[in-house]
């Protein structure tokens, strides 16, 4: 079955860049996502990348996709204390309107040191 | 625009008791999902509805879990009887699934269930 792996913890200093890594196994994944979960809250979609892209940039966020190695990363530039949260990598299998199945990793807890 | 609403936010019950969770999706979203998130894990899908039809309930433990989505809007998820291992956060999400659209899932804040 599908599997998504992430490192569990990351600690960075405020102002530095954070890089959260993820590997996945399903080669048919069409979309890959990064979600953010703050304490006591639901998941908030941060960004996503389509499988035919290798990079996507959105303000402080940069997503890199290496489809050959099935490796996804999220870089947060100028990390702020408000970025402290758990970040989930997720993949969606299949394409088209009928595809919906998301497989999530266990999440990476990002701690930002002031 | 209001997001996905869930209630209650927290629930503590003793084992063998019943419990129910309620979800109101974003207006106009035809697809609704229930996920379970165990401590230190990512969410796992329990059931997916398209309008009022449960189109994927393969991960729902049917001996004790049930769900319904009457009129294709609000949904309830019930556990009867609850077991210690059911302690988790139950997340509801909704999306507008249509041809040619991205189908982003929007999540509610979840219900944290503690079974004693």
């Amino acid at each position: 079955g599908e599997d998504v792996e992430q490192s569990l913890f990351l600690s960075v200093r405020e102002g530095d860049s954070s890089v959260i890594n993820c590997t996945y196994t399903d080669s048919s994944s069409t979309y890959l996502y990064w979600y953010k979960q703050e304490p006591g809250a639901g998941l908030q979609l941060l960004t996503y990348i389509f499988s035919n892209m290798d990079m996507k940039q959105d303000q402080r966020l940069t997503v890199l996709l290496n489809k050959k190695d099935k490796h996804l990363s999220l870089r947060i530039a100028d990390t702020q204390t408000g970025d402290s949260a758990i970040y989930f990598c997720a993949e969606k299998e299949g394409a088209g309107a009928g595809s919906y199945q998301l497989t999530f990793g266990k999440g990476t807890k990002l701690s930002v040191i002031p | 625009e209001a997001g996905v609403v869930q209630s209650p936010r927290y629930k503590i019950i003793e084992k063998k008791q019943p419990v129910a969770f309620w979800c109101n999706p974003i207006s106009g979203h035809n697809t609704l999902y229930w996920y379970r998130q165990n401590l230190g894990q990512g969410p796992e899908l329990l059931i997916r509805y398209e309008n009022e039809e449960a189109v994927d309930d393969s991960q729902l433990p049917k001996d004790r879990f049930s769900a319904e989505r009457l009129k294709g809007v609000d949904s309830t998820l019930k556990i009867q009887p609850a077991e210690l291992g059911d302690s988790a956060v139950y997340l509801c999400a909704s999306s507008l699934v249509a041809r040619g659209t991205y189908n982003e899932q929007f999540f509610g804040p979840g219900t944290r269930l503690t079974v004693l």
Side-chain angles (χ1 to χ4, degrees), chain A residues 33 37 40 42 45 88 97 100, chain B residues 9 37 48 56 97 102 105 108:
Chain A
Y33 306 79
Q37 187 176 38
L45 180 66
F88 290 93
Y100 65 91
Chain B
R9 292 295 314 277
Q37 185 178 18
R48 177 176 76 102
D56 183 359
V97 175
Y102 165 60
Q105 293 185 27

Side-chain angles (χ1 to χ4, degrees), chain B:
Chain B
E1 179 184 318
V4 176
V5 179
Q6 291 188 248
S7 70
R9 292 295 314 277
Y10 304 92
K11 189 74 176 178
I12 301 174
I13 61 171
E14 293 188 343
K15 63 181 181 182
K16 300 186 182 179
Q17 294 299 306
V19 65
F21 315 123
W22 175 80
C23 173
N24 180 241
I26 291 173
S27 177
H29 280 192
N30 55 359
T31 303
L32 183 146
Y33 315 76
W34 281 104
Y35 289 86
R36 177 168 58 190
Q37 185 178 18
N38 292 314
L39 187 64
Q41 305 289 319
E44 295 179 326
L45 182 70
L46 290 174
I47 188 168
R48 177 176 76 102
Y49 281 92
E50 284 184 11
N51 299 306
E52 64 274 9
E53 183 183 357
V55 293
D56 183 359
D57 62 357
S58 57
Q59 302 302 313
L60 191 73
K62 298 182 183 61
D63 56 336
R64 298 182 299 107
F65 285 65
S66 64
E68 61 182 10
R69 191 185 183 199
L70 299 176
K71 300 181 182 179
V73 182
D74 294 4
S75 177
T76 55
L77 177 69
K78 297 178 182 177
I79 309 174
Q80 182 171 10
E83 296 179 353
L84 295 176
D86 296 330
S87 294
V89 176
Y90 291 83
L91 294 165
C92 179
S94 70
S95 65
L96 175 61
V97 175
R99 199 169 291 281
T101 66
Y102 165 60
N103 304 338
E104 177 183 348
Q105 293 185 27
F106 293 83
F107 284 81
T111 297
R112 182 178 294 277
L113 173 67
T114 302
V115 182
L116 303 176

Side-chain angles (χ1 to χ4, degrees), chain A residues 100-111:
Chain A
Y100 65 91
Q101 180 72 34
L102 292 181
T103 300
F104 289 87
K106 292 183 178 181
T108 299
K109 184 174 183 179
L110 174 64
S111 299

